[in-house]
Amino acid sequence: MGKTSSGGLRWIGIPARVLAMTFLLTLLSFAVALLLSILGTVVYSQMKHVAPNLTFAYRHIAFPLALTVVAIVLVLLLLMEIRNYRQRKALAGIERVS
């Protein structure tokens, strides 16, 4: 029995998986960073007896952190997916020979 095209190795799925996971991890890190920075801003404002500046938490803490996470996650996921693709390709070649 021959392999169908859907069962073969597809490199076209790598960018789709990388972009989807990058988006999800960036969204998660942004949400966590925003939550923690808002809590930190509120605690700081309570200690200093001033009004909390929540735009500072968004603009200067959570957003730059999310941009940093985008860059790191994108590079790491690309490297991992390419390595995984090459490994599956080599194993498929070994399986085909034996």
Side-chain angles (χ1 to χ4, degrees):
M1 289 190 191
K3 281 191 170 184
T4 62
S5 62
S6 64
L9 297 173
R10 304 287 307 242
W11 65 269
I12 197 72
I14 292 174
R17 283 191 303 271
V18 167
L19 290 177
M21 287 303 296
T22 301
F23 177 74
L24 290 175
L25 289 174
T26 302
L27 192 63
L28 179 66
S29 69
F30 178 74
V32 169
L34 186 60
L35 175 68
L36 293 177
S37 62
I38 286 174
L39 289 175
T41 304
V42 168
V43 168
Y44 176 78
S45 68
Q46 291 295 322
M47 287 177 20
K48 297 293 182 178
H49 302 291
V50 295
N53 186 4
L54 297 181
T55 57
F56 180 83
Y58 172 78
R59 289 184 185 158
H60 299 290
I61 299 172
F63 188 67
L65 186 70
L67 291 179
T68 306
V69 168
V70 165
I72 293 170
V73 167
L74 185 65
V75 169
L76 289 178
L77 284 177
L78 271 174
L79 291 174
M80 287 173 43
E81 286 292 331
I82 289 171
R83 186 187 67 186
N84 190 19
Y85 172 76
R86 286 183 176 176
Q87 187 178 25
R88 284 186 290 152
K89 188 176 175 182
L91 289 174
I94 291 170
E95 183 181 349
R96 202 173 33 249
V97 169
S98 61

